[in-house]
Amino acid sequence: MQKNKRKIFLVGGIIAAAAVIMSGCQTKTASEQTGAEDDRPHIMVGCDDYTPFSYMDVDGNMTGIDVELAREAFDRIGYQADFTFINWEDKKKLLKDGSIDCVWSSFTMDGRETEYKWAGPYMKSKQVVAVNIDSDIYTLNDLEGKTVAVQSTTKPEDLFRSHEAGLPELRKIISVKNRDVLFTFLSKGYVDAIAAHDTSIVQFSEDFDMEYRILEEPLLNVNLGVAFDLDDDRGIDEQLSQAIKEMRKDGTIEDIVSEYLPGADRYLEDADEK
């Protein structure tokens, strides 16, 4: 049922999602939905529209792996989590000015350890390159002289623009704000390849019945975490890290991930413990 809801929303909702982002839509809290009193302090979680991690279902409620994890983890440390879509490029500024308390949205920790205070990691992921089925690109070296699209301010953009890990020289890198545009560019042949989290590519392929081929060699194996501003001295990051450890040990994280992704254990087994 959850997958069907995602498909219905995604097929009809790319334009609507953009409108939601513009308006800074927030989900209703449990107390608002039931009418019950809830005096716990609220915490605002900023996230990208990024299936299967954080997205709106057909009823207008925020859902996804990260949303369910955040609700559970913050509940354990005495907070009520609210959610808002953000412009991904503005995440650091929004943390700094207090518009949001944290970013929880398939956010790569690796290489950013000194940019934020982190809670986690709670999952691992792979940054990968995907091409059309009939592409003659089979290895990262085959990207030499090609055009690749990435979402702006993401790890793949960092990797390609900094030429880390011995990546080949591209003809052009195209950075876009909306992740879904990546797939449009690739399907129409505007670019030769795209780079993103493997989970995101697999989910999009399933939701839209599209076929892409993910290169066997990943760009990077990464840990996903929850980012707080460096000057945030409330200690919530430390409390949250402890809650995440407990959720890993008692199987809660695996149970939630399993609702959205097959073979959940492969997204958890190598996530480094802090």
Side-chain angles (χ1 to χ4, degrees):
M1 183 66 181
Q2 192 69 256
K3 179 178 177 182
N4 290 336
K5 285 186 177 182
R6 285 202 300 272
K7 182 175 290 187
I8 293 170
F9 168 71
L10 283 168
V11 170
I14 292 177
I15 295 176
V20 169
I21 294 172
M22 293 287 290
S23 63
C25 176
Q26 296 174 205
T27 57
K28 292 182 179 180
T29 64
S31 60
E32 289 172 334
Q33 293 172 352
T34 63
E37 290 292 334
D38 191 335
D39 58 0
R40 292 174 300 164
H42 289 250
I43 193 157
M44 182 58 70
V45 181
C47 51
D48 196 8
D49 184 10
Y50 204 73
T51 311
F53 293 94
S54 49
Y55 62 95
M56 299 286 281
D57 67 17
V58 292
D59 297 318
N61 297 312
M62 195 79 85
T63 190
I65 294 171
D66 288 347
V67 173
E68 291 196 35
L69 290 176
R71 286 194 178 112
E72 174 65 23
F74 281 118
D75 181 70
R76 292 190 183 199
I77 63 174
Y79 288 90
Q80 182 177 172
D82 300 324
F83 303 87
T84 184
F85 283 134
I86 62 173
N87 182 334
W88 193 245
E89 296 176 353
D90 294 337
K91 54 189 175 295
K92 186 171 289 188
K93 177 179 69 69
L94 295 172
L95 286 172
K96 180 65 67 177
D97 67 22
S99 298
I100 57 176
D101 293 293
C102 67
V103 175
W104 195 329
S105 190
S106 187
F107 197 8
T108 297
M109 299 173 65
D110 304 64
R112 300 189 176 107
E113 290 86 351
T114 61
E115 292 184 40
Y116 303 91
K117 283 186 175 179
W118 289 98
Y122 61 92
M123 279 180 68
K124 71 166 190 171
S125 180
K126 290 182 180 180
Q127 298 284 4
V128 298
V129 171
V131 297
N132 288 315
I133 293 296
D134 58 356
S135 172
D136 60 358
I137 298 171
Y138 288 92
T139 69
L140 293 179
N141 285 335
D142 291 339
L143 294 172
E144 181 82 34
K146 305 295 187 182
T147 299
V148 177
V150 296
Q151 187 177 15
S152 57
T153 72
T154 60
K155 196 61 184 176
E157 182 183 50
D158 293 343
L159 292 172
F160 279 115
R161 293 195 182 280
S162 63
H163 305 289
E164 291 185 35
L167 292 173
E169 187 72 28
L170 302 178
R171 183 173 75 85
K172 183 186 292 185
I173 304 171
I174 298 177
S175 298
V176 300
K177 290 184 178 181
N178 190 322
R179 177 211 56 160
D180 291 343
V181 175
L182 297 178
F183 300 97
T184 300
F185 279 16
L186 182 57
S187 297
K188 292 185 176 296
Y190 298 157
V191 298
D192 300 296
I194 61 174
H197 286 287
D198 59 343
T199 47
S200 174
I201 294 171
V202 170
Q203 188 65 62
F204 192 95
S205 299
E206 291 181 358
D207 288 333
F208 285 100
D209 295 322
M210 303 292 289
E211 286 192 85
Y212 302 105
R213 174 163 48 82
I214 295 176
L215 303 191
E216 291 185 8
E217 182 183 2
L219 284 172
L220 191 68
N221 293 312
V222 299
N223 288 300
L224 305 182
V226 187
F228 292 79
D229 183 72
L230 281 175
D231 294 328
D232 190 329
D233 59 1
R234 296 174 293 176
I236 300 175
D237 56 312
E238 296 177 358
Q239 297 176 56
L240 191 60
S241 285
Q242 185 58 43
I244 288 171
K245 286 182 180 180
E246 293 172 358
M247 289 168 62
R248 283 177 59 83
K249 289 178 181 178
D250 65 25
T252 300
I253 292 182
E254 184 172 3
D255 289 344
I256 290 174
V257 174
S258 295
E259 294 178 17
Y260 297 87
L261 297 170
D265 56 330
R266 71 188 181 96
Y267 300 105
L268 305 175
E269 57 188 10
D270 294 332
D272 297 331
E273 291 286 354
K274 270 187 143 182

